[in-house]
């Protein structure tokens, strides 16, 4: 694109790039890019106008604190967020270059030059085709300029390079006024039961591949689609779904394999097939692959709906409050204006894993309360007023819920499916109506099915902690500190209750009883740095007693400490009794209030408007969760402690404390099922008509029946009949394209040896290395030792828990920069999808055994002792290995730095991969020879 004269004449500041190490380069306005000494780069960053990509990261690499906003600091990422709202860019100079179609820059000098090119390209694009209109973009640009945004003058000049109307007389932040509203539609009814013919699934798959331009013949994918049709047949008996466990190796193409019969079934029977995943990244990947079925974007938006919990979506009421505060100086106006640009362009308002740039709030040093971040702009506190909200008809959550009722494919996550099913099951048991969207869960595909056990464990557990109890208090009483946002129960229900005195009395009683819950500053009272505890109320007193028992019986680790709940100290038992009594006084009026609202729905059915009914039903959902699920679970745990009850073989109760920077920040009493597949089966699996559980790692080849453990961990073993099973091997040539090495002469307990080994392996591969750790402390120690050495050789090193970015953004940079390296923990292992050379070496610091905490030891005793530990570690290794080879032309080396690794743990690797035990020198030679250019 050609810059208009008014923009081309702008003198942009020099571009500064600082890579890990740090390695620095600067590109002057005349295009001359030169290396720069670190002291000179530091001076430039602190004193002169400068272009950067991620100011906070740049400062960290220069040994400086994250900077406040300044008219000197031109962050090109902010310009990208303005010009291309709701579009993706990895937060680095290389990531920006890739997003804009520029040549990938490798060296610091190339990246500095590319950063200048990116700024010019973005301004030219803004001048030529601003979205959604020139007038609206100009209104926000002028607001940003008044706020002192460095890009204000340049963006206004670009936008005024063509005629612009004068329709906007506001700041432009009132985006809620211009969002499309949803419209009510007639109910869709129950899904039908027409069967899917397996051959039709194969034909649909063939058509989808042709439509997507994929003409390669993959017999394994066709077999998968044909066999998956089993779960789309009518079931014969209540409580006995057609269930299938399907392992499909990497490269089979299982997503289109199950979407083929799923889309056929939806077309024939009505909505919807729910596809549930474990990670946000896979949700978006599945939505992208659905383009093969619905290539038109507008059609696909209706046919394939991504669904998450409401705590993931932009709340327009919260946004309005924050935007108003920002214009009065109470929040980050620049961040809010850029978020407003995103809100007008977003596909669905998803702020966590959707199209909101998660790096945006991290660019500068802005207090958490003032940020335009998901933490401040989504409904995390259950405070939604539903139809009582002035933005109800434009609400992103309502759009997603209503869209999912009519979509052919609903792409959800395990957590949402389980929590909604548990909630609906509890309501149905009392004869109440369930949530309309989850009562239609007839056909479910659980992708990433190897995580089903963990997801059920989380969904069907209970935790009485300081944070959870304080959250309940805030939900009831509203914000009690100065400047806090939110609406308490009284504010949400006051006008609904009207002059109903009984209901108002119960509401008043609940608000008063909630004072017994932890209030503002609770953490500093139960575990102050000076040791002088001063709890307020019975729940805080109980948590102080829990900490006493933990200190007496537990050994602290780097993340916290834990001990069995029983037998309890006398102090714990006494305080548990008092806390239970206090919770009962909260629970009783909430239950009475719920019954009063149910009576209103019944007695005034002919008088209530649709919005009033929706508000009451929304309030009842919140009351049900807390008064009929959470509070009874908490009181049950406390009663067992008070009575020193015998251990229930189905549950594990324990105490734990969480540490941050070496001090206690929370304490909790927890209860988990030993086998969470019992509630999983009752609430999710058995009520369904068809269930497909699929993953690249479901079967265990060491077992006589390879699917026996998968049946146990997915709930299939609890059904009357065994599920259908399928194992489809990957089509990739692993023998030619992959190597698996165990290094025999590195001491896994010596951080210096681990660091030296990783450094040399990363250098041998020329980058593209992912280091995986089982402990954050070891990760940080290795990063500190190897970052400078890699930087000296031109390799950037990024690290979880070190760099000021969340995991997804770090993986985005790792994917964008072909020769970068990354260090991470389990979250990285589960969330990495990096095809090509960007991930060509994977190094484990040690065997990823499950942590032998209280809960795991109970399960180990139930599920097979040593073999259970082996199965978990084997699955983690296989999952990690599967990240290496994502395409037929990928090459990769897997290295384990734990000489004591048993060979049996590698039996889950694909056929053709031969495990070799080698010295470090031999491993380095193999990596260099196999992965060389």
């Amino acid at each position: 694109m050609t810059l208009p004269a008014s923009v081309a004449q702008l003198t942009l500041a020099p571009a500064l790039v600082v890579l890990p190490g740090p390695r620095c380069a600067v590109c002057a306005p005349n295009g001359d890019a030169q290396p720069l000494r670190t002291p000179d780069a530091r001076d430039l960053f602190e004193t002169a106008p400068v272009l950067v990509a991620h100011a906070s990261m740049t400062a960290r690499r220069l040994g400086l604190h994250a900077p406040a906003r300044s008219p000197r600091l031109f962050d090109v990422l902010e310009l990208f967020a303005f010009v291309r709202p709701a579009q993706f860019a990895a937060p680095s100079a290389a990531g920006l270059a890739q997003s804009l179609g520029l040549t990938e820059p490798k060296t610091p000098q190339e990246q500095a030059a590319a950063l200048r090119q990116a700024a010019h390209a973005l301004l030219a694009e803004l001048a030529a085709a601003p979205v959604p209109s020139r007038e609206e973009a100009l209104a926000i640009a002028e607001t940003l300029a008044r706020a002192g945004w460095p890009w204000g003058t340049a963006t206004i000049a670009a936008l005024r390079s063509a005629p612009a109307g004068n329709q906007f007389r506001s700041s432009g932040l009132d985006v809620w006024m211009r969002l499309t509203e949803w419209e009510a539609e007639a109910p869709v009814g129950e899904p039908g039961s027409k069967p899917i013919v397996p051959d039709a699934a194969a034909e649909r798959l063939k058509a989808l591949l042709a439509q997507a331009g994929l003409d390669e013949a993959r017999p394994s994918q066709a077999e998968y689609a044909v066999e998956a049709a089993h779960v789309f047949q009518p079931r014969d008996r209540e409580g006995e779904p057609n269930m299938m466990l399907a392992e499909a190796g990497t490269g089979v193409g299982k997503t289109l394999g199950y979407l083929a019969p799923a889309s056929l079934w939806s077309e024939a029977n009505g909505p919807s097939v729910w596809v549930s995943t474990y990670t946000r990244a896979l949700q978006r990947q599945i939505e992208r692959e659905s383009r093969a079925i619905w290539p038109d974007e507008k059609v696909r938006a209706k046919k394939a709906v991504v669904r998450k919990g409401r705590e993931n979506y932009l709340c327009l009421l919260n946004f309005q409050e924050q935007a108003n505060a920002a214009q009065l100086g109470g929040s980050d106006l620049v961040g809010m204006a850029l978020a407003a640009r995103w809100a007008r362009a977003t596909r669905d308002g998803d702020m966590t894993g959707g199209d909101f740039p998660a790096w945006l709030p991290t660019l500068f040093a802005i207090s958490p309360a003032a940020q335009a971040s998901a933490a401040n702009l989504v409904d995390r506190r259950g405070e939604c007023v539903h139809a009582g909200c002035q933005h109800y008809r434009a609400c992103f959550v309502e759009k997603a819920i209503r869209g999912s009722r009519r979509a052919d494919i609903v792409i959800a996550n395990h957590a949402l499916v389980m929590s909604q099913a548990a909630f609906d099951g509890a309501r149905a048991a009392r004869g109440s109506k369930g949530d309309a969207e989850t009562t239609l869960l007839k056909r479910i595909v659980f992708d990433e099915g190897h995580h089903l056990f963990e997801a059920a464990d989380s969904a069907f557990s209970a935790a009485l902690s300081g944070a959870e109890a304080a959250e309940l208090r805030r939900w009831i009483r509203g914000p009690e500190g100065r400047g806090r946002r939110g609406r308490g129960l009284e504010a949400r229900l006051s006008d609904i209750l009207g002059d109903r005195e009984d209901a108002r009395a119960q509401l008043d009683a609940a608000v008063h009883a909630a004072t017994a819950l932890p209030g503002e500053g609770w953490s500093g009272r139960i575990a102050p740095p000076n040791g002088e505890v001063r709890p307020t109320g019975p729940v805080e007193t109980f948590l102080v007693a829990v900490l006493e028992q933990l200190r007496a019986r537990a050994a602290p680790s780097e993340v916290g400490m834990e001990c069995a709940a029983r037998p309890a100290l006398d102090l714990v038992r006494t305080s548990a009794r008092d806390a239970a009594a206090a919770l009962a006084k909260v629970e009783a009026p909430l239950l009475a209030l719920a019954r009063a609202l149910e009576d209103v729905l019944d007695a005034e059915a002919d008088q209530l408007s649709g919005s009033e009914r929706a508000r009451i039903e929304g309030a009842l959902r919140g009351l049900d969760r807390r008064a009929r699920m959470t509070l009874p679970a908490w009181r049950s745990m406390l009663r067992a402690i008070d009575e020193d009850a015998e251990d229930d073989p189905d549950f594990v109760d324990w105490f734990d404390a969480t540490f941050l920077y070496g001090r206690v920040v929370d304490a909790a009493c927890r209860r988990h099922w030993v086998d969470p597949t019992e509630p999983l089966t009752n609430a999710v699996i058995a009520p369904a008509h068809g269930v497909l559980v699929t993953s690249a790692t479901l079967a265990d080849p060491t077992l006589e029946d390879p699917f026996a453990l998968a049946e146990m961990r997915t709930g299939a073993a609890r059904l009357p009949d065994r599920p259908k099973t399928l194992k489809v091997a990957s089509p990739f040539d692993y023998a030619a394209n992959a190597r698996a090495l165990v290094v025999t002469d590195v001491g896994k307990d010596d951080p210096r040896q681990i660091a030296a080994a990783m450094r040399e392996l990363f250098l041998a591969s020329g980058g593209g290395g992912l280091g995986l750790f089982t402990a954050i402390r070891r990760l940080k120690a290795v990063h500190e030792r190897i970052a400078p050495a890699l930087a000296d050789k031109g390799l950037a090193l990024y690290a979880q828990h070190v760099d000021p970015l969340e995991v997804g953004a770090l993986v985005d940079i790792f994917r964008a920069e072909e020769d970068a390296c990354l260090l991470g923990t389990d979250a990285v292992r589960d969330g990495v999808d990096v095809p090509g050379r960007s991930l060509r070496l994977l190094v484990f610091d040690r065997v990823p055994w499950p942590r032998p905490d209280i809960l795991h030891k109970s399960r180990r005793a139930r599920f097979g002792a040593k073999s259970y530990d082996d199965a978990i570690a084997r699955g983690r290794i296989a999952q990690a290995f599967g990240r290496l080879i994502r395409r037929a032309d990928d090459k990769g080396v897997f290295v384990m730095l734990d000489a004591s690794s048993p060979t049996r743990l590698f039996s889950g690797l694909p056929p053709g991969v031969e495990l070799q035990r080698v010295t470090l020198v031999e491993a380095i030679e193999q990596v260099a020879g196999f992965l060389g250019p």
Side-chain angles (χ1 to χ4, degrees), residues 2-66:
T2 303
L3 280 168
S6 58
V7 176
Q9 292 171 3
L10 289 171
T11 302
L12 289 175
L16 173 66
V17 165
V18 183
L19 297 183
R23 291 176 296 138
C24 310
V26 65
C27 182
N30 63 7
D32 181 28
Q34 299 290 337
L36 201 65
R37 294 173 56 250
T38 299
D40 296 333
R42 192 178 291 121
D43 289 342
L44 181 67
F45 183 80
E46 289 189 299
T47 61
V50 64
L51 269 69
V52 295
H54 208 296
S56 178
M57 180 85 81
T58 303
R60 188 184 191 96
R61 290 173 183 162
L62 291 172
L64 304 171
H65 293 298

Side-chain angles (χ1 to χ4, degrees), residues 866-889:
K866 172 177 164 292
S867 63
Y868 184 64
D869 285 344
D870 283 2
I872 293 175
R874 187 160 42 243
R876 290 173 177 175
I877 289 172
Q879 273 291 317
F881 184 91
R883 303 293 164 183
L884 263 181
I885 310 296
R886 308 300 289 173
R887 301 187 307 213
D889 58 349

Side-chain angles (χ1 to χ4, degrees), residues 477 490 501-514 589 593:
R477 294 180 59 86
E490 184 174 16
E501 294 183 5
D502 289 347
R504 281 192 166 276
Q506 299 301 337
L507 175 59
D508 291 343
V511 171
H512 175 72
L593 178 59

Side-chain angles (χ1 to χ4, degrees), residues 50-51 72 115 275 281 497 500 782 816 873 897:
V50 64
L51 269 69
R72 292 186 303 98
L115 195 56
V275 178
L497 297 180
R500 300 176 180 92
V782 168
L897 297 178

Side-chain angles (χ1 to χ4, degrees), residues 327-364:
Q327 293 179 84
L328 296 173
S331 289
D332 175 27
L333 182 54
V334 171
M336 290 304 302
L338 294 174
R341 292 282 291 158
W342 167 80
R344 285 285 282 135
T346 177
R347 179 179 186 269
D348 54 12
D350 180 0
M351 295 194 75
T352 58
D355 51 22
F356 180 77
W359 39 258
L360 188 58
T362 69
L363 300 183
F364 292 94

Side-chain angles (χ1 to χ4, degrees), residues 115-137:
L115 195 56
R116 290 192 56 76
Q117 286 181 281
H120 279 275
L122 286 167
L123 290 170
E125 184 176 322
L126 181 63
V131 293
S133 70
R134 189 172 298 274
E135 290 76 14
E136 186 170 346

Side-chain angles (χ1 to χ4, degrees), residues 272-479:
S272 304
V273 175
W274 279 56
V275 178
S276 179
T277 76
Y278 190 66
T279 60
R280 295 165 179 161
L282 187 57
Q283 277 186 275
R284 289 295 170 186
Q285 182 181 323
I286 293 169
E287 189 274 331
R288 286 194 297 271
E289 294 211 31
S290 71
R291 292 174 186 170
I293 311 174
W294 304 289
D296 183 271
E297 187 172 342
K298 291 184 178 179
V299 173
R300 189 171 69 256
K302 293 183 178 180
K303 294 290 189 178
V305 173
V306 175
R307 272 291 282 118
K308 300 180 180 180
R310 65 173 53 245
E311 69 278 2
N312 293 278
Y313 296 92
L314 173 70
C315 169
L316 292 173
L317 190 56
N318 284 346
F319 181 85
Q320 181 181 11
E321 291 178 356
Q322 286 283 86
N324 291 339
Q327 293 179 84
L328 296 173
S331 289
D332 175 27
L333 182 54
V334 171
M336 290 304 302
L338 294 174
R341 292 282 291 158
W342 167 80
R344 285 285 282 135
T346 177
R347 179 179 186 269
D348 54 12
D350 180 0
M351 295 194 75
T352 58
D355 51 22
F356 180 77
W359 39 258
L360 188 58
T362 69
L363 300 183
F364 292 94
I366 299 163
S367 73
Q371 289 179 358
S373 64
N376 292 323
L377 296 177
V378 302
D379 174 30
R380 288 192 181 279
R381 304 170 182 84
E383 296 172 343
C384 180
V385 294
H386 301 278
C389 177
Q390 60 186 301
H391 307 306
Y392 182 60
R393 296 189 64 83
C395 175
F396 288 113
V397 177
E398 284 297 317
K399 288 177 182 176
I401 291 173
R402 290 165 190 274
S404 68
R405 292 173 184 165
R406 314 186 80 84
D408 284 19
I409 305 292
V410 179
I411 306 164
N413 53 63
H414 297 348
L416 175 68
V417 169
M418 306 238 182
S419 63
Q420 289 283 13
F423 177 58
D424 285 352
R427 297 196 91 190
R430 297 191 309 276
S432 299
K433 184 178 72 171
D435 193 323
E437 60 175 324
T438 47
T439 52
L440 300 179
L441 277 174
K442 305 298 185 187
R443 311 284 167 171
I444 314 173
V445 176
F446 286 110
D447 206 335
E448 296 182 298
H450 59 284
H451 282 301
L452 207 50
F453 188 91
E454 289 81 4
D457 179 40
S458 177
F460 299 106
S461 61
L464 171 53
S465 68
E468 291 293 324
E471 190 62 38
L472 177 59
R473 174 175 174 142
R474 179 162 40 207
W475 183 80
I476 296 171
R477 294 180 59 86

